[in-house]
PDB file of all heavy atoms in Angstrom:
ATOM      1  N   THR A  27       9.447   6.539  23.464  1.00 97.00           N
ATOM      2  CA  THR A  27       8.531   5.276  23.248  1.00 97.00           C
ATOM      3  C   THR A  27       9.524   4.092  22.986  1.00 97.00           C
ATOM      4  O   THR A  27      10.574   4.357  22.307  1.00 97.00           O
ATOM      5  CB  THR A  27       7.502   5.513  22.085  1.00 97.00           C
ATOM      6  OG1 THR A  27       6.865   4.347  21.996  1.00 97.00           O
ATOM      7  CG2 THR A  27       8.098   5.898  20.905  1.00 97.00           C
ATOM      8  N   ARG A  29      10.110   1.500  21.290  1.00 93.00           N
ATOM      9  CA  ARG A  29      10.636   1.063  20.054  1.00 93.00           C
ATOM     10  C   ARG A  29      11.518   2.061  19.406  1.00 93.00           C
ATOM     11  O   ARG A  29      11.985   1.684  18.218  1.00 93.00           O
ATOM     12  CB  ARG A  29       9.456   0.452  19.189  1.00 93.00           C
ATOM     13  CG  ARG A  29       8.988  -0.757  19.731  1.00 93.00           C
ATOM     14  CD  ARG A  29       7.691  -1.176  19.082  1.00 93.00           C
ATOM     15  NE  ARG A  29       7.918  -1.754  17.800  1.00 93.00           N
ATOM     16  CZ  ARG A  29       6.854  -2.031  16.983  1.00 93.00           C
ATOM     17  NH1 ARG A  29       5.732  -1.615  17.233  1.00 93.00           N
ATOM     18  NH2 ARG A  29       7.197  -2.511  15.865  1.00 93.00           N
ATOM     19  N   TYR A  61       6.657   4.699  11.735  1.00 98.00           N
ATOM     20  CA  TYR A  61       5.670   3.676  11.851  1.00 98.00           C
ATOM     21  C   TYR A  61       4.537   3.748  11.007  1.00 98.00           C
ATOM     22  O   TYR A  61       3.569   3.283  11.332  1.00 98.00           O
ATOM     23  CB  TYR A  61       5.276   3.380  13.316  1.00 98.00           C
ATOM     24  CG  TYR A  61       6.582   2.729  14.095  1.00 98.00           C
ATOM     25  CD1 TYR A  61       7.221   3.546  15.051  1.00 98.00           C
ATOM     26  CD2 TYR A  61       6.738   1.470  13.942  1.00 98.00           C
ATOM     27  CE1 TYR A  61       8.316   2.955  15.647  1.00 98.00           C
ATOM     28  CE2 TYR A  61       7.866   0.897  14.619  1.00 98.00           C
ATOM     29  CZ  TYR A  61       8.610   1.584  15.519  1.00 98.00           C
ATOM     30  OH  TYR A  61       9.641   1.106  16.182  1.00 98.00           O
ATOM     31  N   ASN A 116      -6.613  10.972  20.179  1.00 98.00           N
ATOM     32  CA  ASN A 116      -5.286  11.449  19.856  1.00 98.00           C
ATOM     33  C   ASN A 116      -4.306  10.227  19.416  1.00 98.00           C
ATOM     34  O   ASN A 116      -3.244  10.487  18.939  1.00 98.00           O
ATOM     35  CB  ASN A 116      -4.730  12.228  21.044  1.00 98.00           C
ATOM     36  CG  ASN A 116      -5.668  13.211  21.516  1.00 98.00           C
ATOM     37  OD1 ASN A 116      -5.799  14.200  20.882  1.00 98.00           O
ATOM     38  ND2 ASN A 116      -6.370  13.061  22.559  1.00 98.00           N
ATOM     39  N   SER A 117      -4.657   8.960  19.748  1.00 98.00           N
ATOM     40  CA  SER A 117      -3.739   7.887  19.325  1.00 98.00           C
ATOM     41  C   SER A 117      -4.522   6.618  19.098  1.00 98.00           C
ATOM     42  O   SER A 117      -5.717   6.478  19.454  1.00 98.00           O
ATOM     43  CB  SER A 117      -2.678   7.691  20.480  1.00 98.00           C
ATOM     44  OG  SER A 117      -3.416   7.043  21.582  1.00 98.00           O
ATOM     45  N   GLY A 118      -3.876   5.750  18.345  1.00 98.00           N
ATOM     46  CA  GLY A 118      -4.462   4.528  18.007  1.00 98.00           C
ATOM     47  C   GLY A 118      -4.849   3.703  19.288  1.00 98.00           C
ATOM     48  O   GLY A 118      -5.932   3.084  19.321  1.00 98.00           O
ATOM     49  N   SER A 119      -4.066   3.666  20.312  1.00 98.00           N
ATOM     50  CA  SER A 119      -4.379   2.966  21.571  1.00 98.00           C
ATOM     51  C   SER A 119      -5.667   3.517  22.183  1.00 98.00           C
ATOM     52  O   SER A 119      -6.298   2.814  22.730  1.00 98.00           O
ATOM     53  CB  SER A 119      -3.086   3.099  22.550  1.00 98.00           C
ATOM     54  OG  SER A 119      -1.962   2.512  21.922  1.00 98.00           O
ATOM     55  N   GLU A 120      -5.702   4.818  22.196  1.00 98.00           N
ATOM     56  CA  GLU A 120      -6.977   5.469  22.791  1.00 98.00           C
ATOM     57  C   GLU A 120      -8.205   4.888  21.999  1.00 98.00           C
ATOM     58  O   GLU A 120      -9.190   4.602  22.600  1.00 98.00           O
ATOM     59  CB  GLU A 120      -6.818   6.852  22.595  1.00 98.00           C
ATOM     60  CG  GLU A 120      -6.058   7.740  23.667  1.00 98.00           C
ATOM     61  CD  GLU A 120      -6.154   9.119  23.393  1.00 98.00           C
ATOM     62  OE1 GLU A 120      -7.353   9.792  23.409  1.00 98.00           O
ATOM     63  OE2 GLU A 120      -5.082   9.733  23.111  1.00 98.00           O
ATOM     64  N   ALA A 121      -8.044   4.886  20.612  1.00 98.00           N
ATOM     65  CA  ALA A 121      -9.158   4.542  19.939  1.00 98.00           C
ATOM     66  C   ALA A 121      -9.524   3.007  20.045  1.00 98.00           C
ATOM     67  O   ALA A 121     -10.686   2.733  20.266  1.00 98.00           O
ATOM     68  CB  ALA A 121      -8.857   4.617  18.338  1.00 98.00           C
ATOM     69  N   THR A 122      -8.528   2.139  20.273  1.00 99.00           N
ATOM     70  CA  THR A 122      -8.921   0.672  20.483  1.00 99.00           C
ATOM     71  C   THR A 122      -9.513   0.459  21.752  1.00 99.00           C
ATOM     72  O   THR A 122     -10.405  -0.391  21.954  1.00 99.00           O
ATOM     73  CB  THR A 122      -7.759  -0.158  20.211  1.00 99.00           C
ATOM     74  OG1 THR A 122      -6.657   0.145  21.010  1.00 99.00           O
ATOM     75  CG2 THR A 122      -7.266  -0.207  18.721  1.00 99.00           C
ATOM     76  N   CYS A 144      -1.121  -9.763  16.059  1.00 98.00           N
ATOM     77  CA  CYS A 144      -1.709  -8.339  15.906  1.00 98.00           C
ATOM     78  C   CYS A 144      -1.286  -7.442  16.974  1.00 98.00           C
ATOM     79  O   CYS A 144      -1.331  -7.922  18.142  1.00 98.00           O
ATOM     80  CB  CYS A 144      -3.224  -8.434  15.687  1.00 98.00           C
ATOM     81  SG  CYS A 144      -3.797  -9.066  14.160  1.00 98.00           S
ATOM     82  N   TYR A 145      -0.980  -6.228  16.733  1.00 98.00           N
ATOM     83  CA  TYR A 145      -0.772  -5.224  17.787  1.00 98.00           C
ATOM     84  C   TYR A 145      -1.962  -4.314  17.636  1.00 98.00           C
ATOM     85  O   TYR A 145      -2.278  -3.779  16.566  1.00 98.00           O
ATOM     86  CB  TYR A 145       0.567  -4.436  17.547  1.00 98.00           C
ATOM     87  CG  TYR A 145       0.774  -3.316  18.609  1.00 98.00           C
ATOM     88  CD1 TYR A 145       1.050  -3.691  19.968  1.00 98.00           C
ATOM     89  CD2 TYR A 145       0.638  -1.997  18.233  1.00 98.00           C
ATOM     90  CE1 TYR A 145       1.146  -2.662  20.869  1.00 98.00           C
ATOM     91  CE2 TYR A 145       0.942  -1.024  19.104  1.00 98.00           C
ATOM     92  CZ  TYR A 145       1.147  -1.400  20.513  1.00 98.00           C
ATOM     93  OH  TYR A 145       1.402  -0.304  21.387  1.00 98.00           O
ATOM     94  N   ASN A 146      -2.597  -4.035  18.777  1.00 98.00           N
ATOM     95  CA  ASN A 146      -3.741  -3.243  18.768  1.00 98.00           C
ATOM     96  C   ASN A 146      -3.730  -2.120  19.829  1.00 98.00           C
ATOM     97  O   ASN A 146      -4.742  -1.433  20.218  1.00 98.00           O
ATOM     98  CB  ASN A 146      -5.138  -4.010  19.037  1.00 98.00           C
ATOM     99  CG  ASN A 146      -5.267  -5.172  18.149  1.00 98.00           C
ATOM    100  OD1 ASN A 146      -5.179  -6.282  18.441  1.00 98.00           O
ATOM    101  ND2 ASN A 146      -5.540  -4.850  16.886  1.00 98.00           N
ATOM    102  N   GLY A 147      -2.393  -1.668  20.292  1.00 98.00           N
ATOM    103  CA  GLY A 147      -2.290  -0.700  21.140  1.00 98.00           C
ATOM    104  C   GLY A 147      -1.597  -1.119  22.550  1.00 98.00           C
ATOM    105  O   GLY A 147      -1.414  -2.381  22.724  1.00 98.00           O
ATOM    106  N   PHE A 148      -1.455  -0.156  23.419  1.00 98.00           N
ATOM    107  CA  PHE A 148      -0.486  -0.409  24.478  1.00 98.00           C
ATOM    108  C   PHE A 148      -1.259  -0.689  25.872  1.00 98.00           C
ATOM    109  O   PHE A 148      -0.731  -1.008  26.843  1.00 98.00           O
ATOM    110  CB  PHE A 148       0.373   0.703  24.829  1.00 98.00           C
ATOM    111  CG  PHE A 148      -0.161   2.087  25.039  1.00 98.00           C
ATOM    112  CD1 PHE A 148      -1.082   2.298  25.902  1.00 98.00           C
ATOM    113  CD2 PHE A 148       0.047   3.171  24.214  1.00 98.00           C
ATOM    114  CE1 PHE A 148      -1.646   3.502  26.196  1.00 98.00           C
ATOM    115  CE2 PHE A 148      -0.382   4.368  24.354  1.00 98.00           C
ATOM    116  CZ  PHE A 148      -1.449   4.594  25.404  1.00 98.00           C
ATOM    117  N   LEU A 208      -9.334  -7.089  15.306  1.00 98.00           N
ATOM    118  CA  LEU A 208      -8.191  -7.544  14.498  1.00 98.00           C
ATOM    119  C   LEU A 208      -7.779  -6.459  13.538  1.00 98.00           C
ATOM    120  O   LEU A 208      -8.526  -5.559  13.166  1.00 98.00           O
ATOM    121  CB  LEU A 208      -8.534  -8.858  13.718  1.00 98.00           C
ATOM    122  CG  LEU A 208      -9.467  -8.708  12.433  1.00 98.00           C
ATOM    123  CD1 LEU A 208      -9.215  -9.877  11.564  1.00 98.00           C
ATOM    124  CD2 LEU A 208     -10.862  -8.625  12.796  1.00 98.00           C
ATOM    125  N   GLU A 209      -6.532  -6.487  13.094  1.00 98.00           N
ATOM    126  CA  GLU A 209      -6.016  -5.885  12.022  1.00 98.00           C
ATOM    127  C   GLU A 209      -6.457  -6.657  10.803  1.00 98.00           C
ATOM    128  O   GLU A 209      -6.235  -7.724  10.703  1.00 98.00           O
ATOM    129  CB  GLU A 209      -4.483  -5.799  11.967  1.00 98.00           C
ATOM    130  CG  GLU A 209      -3.774  -5.100  13.112  1.00 98.00           C
ATOM    131  CD  GLU A 209      -2.231  -5.213  12.970  1.00 98.00           C
ATOM    132  OE1 GLU A 209      -1.738  -4.718  12.044  1.00 98.00           O
ATOM    133  OE2 GLU A 209      -1.561  -5.953  13.740  1.00 98.00           O
ATOM    134  N   ILE A 211      -5.447  -6.696   7.836  1.00 98.00           N
ATOM    135  CA  ILE A 211      -4.215  -7.282   7.315  1.00 98.00           C
ATOM    136  C   ILE A 211      -3.289  -7.222   8.592  1.00 98.00           C
ATOM    137  O   ILE A 211      -3.150  -6.183   9.057  1.00 98.00           O
ATOM    138  CB  ILE A 211      -3.623  -6.506   6.330  1.00 98.00           C
ATOM    139  CG1 ILE A 211      -4.514  -6.346   4.890  1.00 98.00           C
ATOM    140  CG2 ILE A 211      -2.293  -7.039   5.815  1.00 98.00           C
ATOM    141  CD1 ILE A 211      -4.046  -5.572   3.884  1.00 98.00           C
ATOM    142  N   HIS A 213      -0.450  -6.438   9.752  1.00 98.00           N
ATOM    143  CA  HIS A 213       0.798  -5.777   9.189  1.00 98.00           C
ATOM    144  C   HIS A 213       1.834  -5.675  10.299  1.00 98.00           C
ATOM    145  O   HIS A 213       2.986  -5.552  10.011  1.00 98.00           O
ATOM    146  CB  HIS A 213       0.416  -4.309   8.774  1.00 98.00           C
ATOM    147  CG  HIS A 213      -0.030  -4.075   7.450  1.00 98.00           C
ATOM    148  ND1 HIS A 213       0.482  -4.708   6.356  1.00 98.00           N
ATOM    149  CD2 HIS A 213      -1.193  -3.542   7.009  1.00 98.00           C
ATOM    150  CE1 HIS A 213      -0.252  -4.382   5.309  1.00 98.00           C
ATOM    151  NE2 HIS A 213      -1.262  -3.719   5.679  1.00 98.00           N
ATOM    152  N   ASN A 214       1.349  -5.903  11.582  1.00 97.00           N
ATOM    153  CA  ASN A 214       2.305  -6.053  12.676  1.00 97.00           C
ATOM    154  C   ASN A 214       3.019  -7.443  12.743  1.00 97.00           C
ATOM    155  O   ASN A 214       3.844  -7.617  13.604  1.00 97.00           O
ATOM    156  CB  ASN A 214       1.777  -5.710  14.058  1.00 97.00           C
ATOM    157  CG  ASN A 214       1.611  -4.170  14.090  1.00 97.00           C
ATOM    158  OD1 ASN A 214       2.598  -3.445  14.042  1.00 97.00           O
ATOM    159  ND2 ASN A 214       0.481  -3.708  14.220  1.00 97.00           N
ATOM    160  N   ASP A 242      -9.377  -2.961  13.322  1.00 99.00           N
ATOM    161  CA  ASP A 242      -8.314  -2.015  13.787  1.00 99.00           C
ATOM    162  C   ASP A 242      -7.590  -1.592  12.583  1.00 99.00           C
ATOM    163  O   ASP A 242      -6.692  -2.237  12.060  1.00 99.00           O
ATOM    164  CB  ASP A 242      -7.458  -2.727  14.880  1.00 99.00           C
ATOM    165  CG  ASP A 242      -6.351  -1.712  15.298  1.00 99.00           C
ATOM    166  OD1 ASP A 242      -6.222  -0.548  14.759  1.00 99.00           O
ATOM    167  OD2 ASP A 242      -5.562  -2.066  16.054  1.00 99.00           O
ATOM    168  N   GLU A 243      -8.127  -0.428  11.937  1.00 98.00           N
ATOM    169  CA  GLU A 243      -7.449   0.067  10.644  1.00 98.00           C
ATOM    170  C   GLU A 243      -6.500   1.101  10.882  1.00 98.00           C
ATOM    171  O   GLU A 243      -6.336   2.064  10.105  1.00 98.00           O
ATOM    172  CB  GLU A 243      -8.589   0.419   9.822  1.00 98.00           C
ATOM    173  CG  GLU A 243      -9.563  -0.669   9.320  1.00 98.00           C
ATOM    174  CD  GLU A 243      -9.746  -0.808   7.853  1.00 98.00           C
ATOM    175  OE1 GLU A 243      -8.678  -0.641   7.035  1.00 98.00           O
ATOM    176  OE2 GLU A 243     -10.823  -1.172   7.434  1.00 98.00           O
ATOM    177  N   VAL A 244      -5.871   1.057  12.094  1.00 98.00           N
ATOM    178  CA  VAL A 244      -4.855   2.162  12.397  1.00 98.00           C
ATOM    179  C   VAL A 244      -3.792   2.245  11.334  1.00 98.00           C
ATOM    180  O   VAL A 244      -3.311   3.228  11.014  1.00 98.00           O
ATOM    181  CB  VAL A 244      -4.329   2.001  13.834  1.00 98.00           C
ATOM    182  CG1 VAL A 244      -3.119   2.770  14.101  1.00 98.00           C
ATOM    183  CG2 VAL A 244      -5.407   2.307  14.819  1.00 98.00           C
ATOM    184  N   ILE A 245      -3.330   1.078  10.847  1.00 98.00           N
ATOM    185  CA  ILE A 245      -2.324   1.020   9.776  1.00 98.00           C
ATOM    186  C   ILE A 245      -3.009   1.135   8.292  1.00 98.00           C
ATOM    187  O   ILE A 245      -2.667   1.835   7.487  1.00 98.00           O
ATOM    188  CB  ILE A 245      -1.546  -0.179   9.776  1.00 98.00           C
ATOM    189  CG1 ILE A 245      -0.567  -0.222  11.136  1.00 98.00           C
ATOM    190  CG2 ILE A 245      -0.533  -0.350   8.659  1.00 98.00           C
ATOM    191  CD1 ILE A 245       0.278  -1.374  11.220  1.00 98.00           C
ATOM    192  N   THR A 246      -4.085   0.332   8.155  1.00 98.00           N
ATOM    193  CA  THR A 246      -4.621   0.005   6.855  1.00 98.00           C
ATOM    194  C   THR A 246      -5.589   1.151   6.368  1.00 98.00           C
ATOM    195  O   THR A 246      -5.600   1.506   5.182  1.00 98.00           O
ATOM    196  CB  THR A 246      -5.448  -1.243   6.808  1.00 98.00           C
ATOM    197  OG1 THR A 246      -6.387  -1.206   8.032  1.00 98.00           O
ATOM    198  CG2 THR A 246      -4.694  -2.486   6.943  1.00 98.00           C
ATOM    199  N   THR A 267     -11.278   1.412  14.030  1.00 99.00           N
ATOM    200  CA  THR A 267     -10.303   2.352  14.684  1.00 99.00           C
ATOM    201  C   THR A 267      -9.372   2.839  13.634  1.00 99.00           C
ATOM    202  O   THR A 267      -8.909   2.018  12.866  1.00 99.00           O
ATOM    203  CB  THR A 267      -9.611   1.785  15.879  1.00 99.00           C
ATOM    204  OG1 THR A 267      -8.910   0.558  15.423  1.00 99.00           O
ATOM    205  CG2 THR A 267     -10.549   1.459  16.968  1.00 99.00           C
ATOM    206  N   GLY A 269      -6.099   5.888  12.623  1.00 98.00           N
ATOM    207  CA  GLY A 269      -5.044   6.680  13.188  1.00 98.00           C
ATOM    208  C   GLY A 269      -3.923   6.782  12.081  1.00 98.00           C
ATOM    209  O   GLY A 269      -4.193   6.932  10.846  1.00 98.00           O
ATOM    210  N   LYS A 270      -2.663   6.914  12.585  1.00 98.00           N
ATOM    211  CA  LYS A 270      -1.544   7.008  11.728  1.00 98.00           C
ATOM    212  C   LYS A 270      -1.713   7.877  10.440  1.00 98.00           C
ATOM    213  O   LYS A 270      -1.675   9.012  10.521  1.00 98.00           O
ATOM    214  CB  LYS A 270      -1.048   5.658  11.322  1.00 98.00           C
ATOM    215  CG  LYS A 270      -0.406   4.872  12.662  1.00 98.00           C
ATOM    216  CD  LYS A 270       0.453   3.794  12.351  1.00 98.00           C
ATOM    217  CE  LYS A 270       0.744   2.767  13.422  1.00 98.00           C
ATOM    218  NZ  LYS A 270       1.818   3.157  14.248  1.00 98.00           N
ATOM    219  N   LEU A 278      -3.746  12.178  15.480  1.00 98.00           N
ATOM    220  CA  LEU A 278      -5.124  12.140  15.277  1.00 98.00           C
ATOM    221  C   LEU A 278      -5.542  10.591  15.223  1.00 98.00           C
ATOM    222  O   LEU A 278      -4.884   9.911  14.478  1.00 98.00           O
ATOM    223  CB  LEU A 278      -5.650  12.949  14.162  1.00 98.00           C
ATOM    224  CG  LEU A 278      -7.218  12.779  13.740  1.00 98.00           C
ATOM    225  CD1 LEU A 278      -7.996  13.493  14.649  1.00 98.00           C
ATOM    226  CD2 LEU A 278      -7.408  13.289  12.199  1.00 98.00           C
ATOM    227  N   ALA A 279      -6.557  10.383  15.913  1.00 98.00           N
ATOM    228  CA  ALA A 279      -7.166   8.849  15.754  1.00 98.00           C
ATOM    229  C   ALA A 279      -8.669   9.020  15.804  1.00 98.00           C
ATOM    230  O   ALA A 279      -9.165  10.046  16.116  1.00 98.00           O
ATOM    231  CB  ALA A 279      -6.600   7.984  16.803  1.00 98.00           C
ATOM    232  N   ARG A 406       7.800  -3.752   9.373  1.00 97.00           N
ATOM    233  CA  ARG A 406       7.447  -3.447   7.871  1.00 97.00           C
ATOM    234  C   ARG A 406       7.996  -2.100   7.413  1.00 97.00           C
ATOM    235  O   ARG A 406       8.327  -1.231   8.374  1.00 97.00           O
ATOM    236  CB  ARG A 406       5.864  -3.490   7.893  1.00 97.00           C
ATOM    237  CG  ARG A 406       5.315  -2.353   8.619  1.00 97.00           C
ATOM    238  CD  ARG A 406       3.759  -2.212   8.790  1.00 97.00           C
ATOM    239  NE  ARG A 406       3.553  -1.069   9.567  1.00 97.00           N
ATOM    240  CZ  ARG A 406       3.559  -0.976  10.857  1.00 97.00           C
ATOM    241  NH1 ARG A 406       3.711  -2.118  11.628  1.00 97.00           N
ATOM    242  NH2 ARG A 406       3.407   0.062  11.589  1.00 97.00           N
TER     243      ARG A 406
HETATM  244  C1  PLP B   1      -2.829  -1.684  14.115  1.00 76.84           C
HETATM  245  C2  PLP B   1      -2.481  -0.833  15.269  1.00 76.84           C
HETATM  246  N1  PLP B   1      -3.380  -0.646  16.237  1.00 76.84           N
HETATM  247  C3  PLP B   1      -3.067   0.372  17.190  1.00 76.84           C
HETATM  248  C4  PLP B   1      -1.851   0.944  17.332  1.00 76.84           C
HETATM  249  C5  PLP B   1      -1.693   1.909  18.521  1.00 76.84           C
HETATM  250  O1  PLP B   1      -1.589   3.200  17.895  1.00 76.84           O
HETATM  251  P1  PLP B   1      -0.681   4.353  18.751  1.00 76.84           P
HETATM  252  O2  PLP B   1       0.672   4.013  18.815  1.00 76.84           O
HETATM  253  O3  PLP B   1      -1.035   5.480  17.968  1.00 76.84           O
HETATM  254  O4  PLP B   1      -1.272   4.351  20.152  1.00 76.84           O
HETATM  255  C6  PLP B   1      -0.969   0.562  16.475  1.00 76.84           C
HETATM  256  C7  PLP B   1       0.352   1.237  16.594  1.00 76.84           C
HETATM  257  O5  PLP B   1       1.369   0.875  15.901  1.00 76.84           O
HETATM  258  C8  PLP B   1      -1.187  -0.239  15.336  1.00 76.84           C
HETATM  259  O6  PLP B   1      -0.189  -0.622  14.508  1.00 76.84           O
END
Side-chain angles (χ1 to χ4, degrees):
T27 178
R29 289 170 74 194
Y61 286 103
N116 309 287
S117 72
S119 298
E120 282 177 59
T122 58
C144 286
Y145 178 68
N146 304 111
F148 59 59
L208 74 159
E209 300 178 66
I211 300 174
H213 280 306
N214 282 296
D242 177 358
E243 297 232 38
V244 165
I245 294 176
T246 50
T267 51
K270 293 200 194 269
L278 176 68
R406 65 187 179 277

